[in-house]
Amino acid sequence: MAEVKICGLKQPKEMQLCAKLKVQWVGYVFYPPSPRFISADHAQILHKSAPSSHEGGPKRVGLFVKPTFEDVEKILRKVNLDILQLYTSTEQAELFRKQFNIPVWQAKGIASLADLPTQKTLIDGYVIEAPSSSKDSQPGGLGRTFDWTLTEKWHSPAPWLLAGGLTPENVFRAIKISKAQAVDVSSGVESSKGIKSLEKIEKFVLNALNGVA
């Protein structure tokens, strides 16, 4: 049994389903090149379509790629985010943690054991996924897996989520091999790029939570 984050939501019906399924986190993508990008106004509509985390709904995670303080501040003026998920350096992630006093997750692309964090920092959590390459248009949401055995015996300095290439069909196996306590999916529950499938979301959550192969 693992906790679940569904990332890249764009429609209120997706938010409502995630709340109904008791998903722990939902992700809003604030990175314009992504097919899952939404504006602050759009995120505000999504936020209002389901109970807030204080009301028992999913926690809202804002995804940013190498943002400035101003980038994040503009979003926070309109959207009440519970967590910042950052594609940036450890040093920068710590600065954002201090600046906004909001939990920060750092996204980490993993190709070998040496890439896994081992030192305690101000970072509250990690999203562990396959590394991006110079040919990729975005750092995450690539639908690409990595060697799940790398995390099998890893002692993480903070809670972490397994991401990258997860689908309803492989999530149970991924949890079993990686020993992940939480999983993060985006492209793996889409009917086409950037468009979520309600059926796939439900199947993914049920398989992750109930250990269905």
Side-chain angles (χ1 to χ4, degrees):
M1 182 173 177
E3 296 183 315
V4 176
K5 172 174 172 268
I6 307 291
C7 194
L9 300 191
K10 297 176 80 171
Q11 300 293 330
K13 60 185 178 182
E14 299 162 0
M15 282 287 294
Q16 290 156 4
L17 177 61
C18 286
K20 178 184 174 184
L21 294 172
K22 302 295 184 184
V23 163
Q24 281 74 28
W25 307 279
V26 292
Y28 305 148
V29 176
F30 300 112
Y31 181 57
S34 170
R36 301 161 194 101
F37 168 73
I38 57 173
S39 66
D41 288 336
H42 191 152
Q44 198 173 44
I45 292 169
L46 292 182
H47 181 73
K48 291 177 179 177
S49 68
S52 70
S53 59
H54 301 295
E55 299 167 326
K59 290 185 178 180
R60 277 62 162 175
V61 182
L63 187 156
F64 300 85
V65 178
K66 295 182 178 177
T68 63
F69 286 160
E70 186 181 10
D71 293 334
V72 174
E73 192 173 2
K74 282 180 182 177
I75 300 297
L76 290 176
R77 286 194 201 114
K78 292 192 173 184
V79 187
N80 185 22
L81 296 176
D82 298 294
I83 297 164
L84 304 178
Q85 179 178 330
L86 306 180
Y87 284 83
T88 191
S89 68
T90 299
E91 293 74 20
Q92 284 295 311
E94 289 186 303
L95 289 176
F96 277 87
R97 183 66 174 86
K98 292 176 182 177
Q99 176 73 13
F100 296 105
N101 196 30
I102 294 174
V104 167
W105 292 351
Q106 184 185 20
K108 297 281 287 184
I110 302 301
S112 70
L113 286 171
D115 297 323
L116 290 167
T118 56
Q119 301 298 316
K120 182 68 178 173
T121 67
L122 295 178
I123 294 166
D124 300 274
Y126 296 99
V127 177
I128 303 298
E129 60 189 0
S132 60
S133 73
S134 58
K135 295 179 182 179
D136 293 320
S137 61
Q138 58 195 58
L142 302 169
R144 190 181 301 148
T145 62
F146 67 98
D147 180 1
W148 295 324
T149 65
L150 291 175
T151 61
E152 194 176 13
K153 296 180 181 179
W154 173 44
H155 297 290
S156 176
W160 64 282
L161 296 85
L162 178 69
L166 298 179
T167 66
E169 291 73 32
N170 71 12
V171 65
F172 175 66
R173 187 164 57 90
I175 292 167
K176 192 174 181 181
I177 294 171
S178 68
K179 302 298 188 284
Q181 299 296 308
V183 288
D184 183 354
V185 68
S186 186
S187 62
V189 290
E190 292 179 346
S191 54
S192 59
K193 189 173 283 192
I195 307 298
K196 293 289 185 284
S197 160
L198 299 184
E199 183 181 352
K200 288 185 178 181
I201 289 175
E202 185 162 10
K203 189 176 179 183
F204 183 93
V205 173
L206 293 176
N207 288 358
L209 296 183
N210 299 323
V212 178

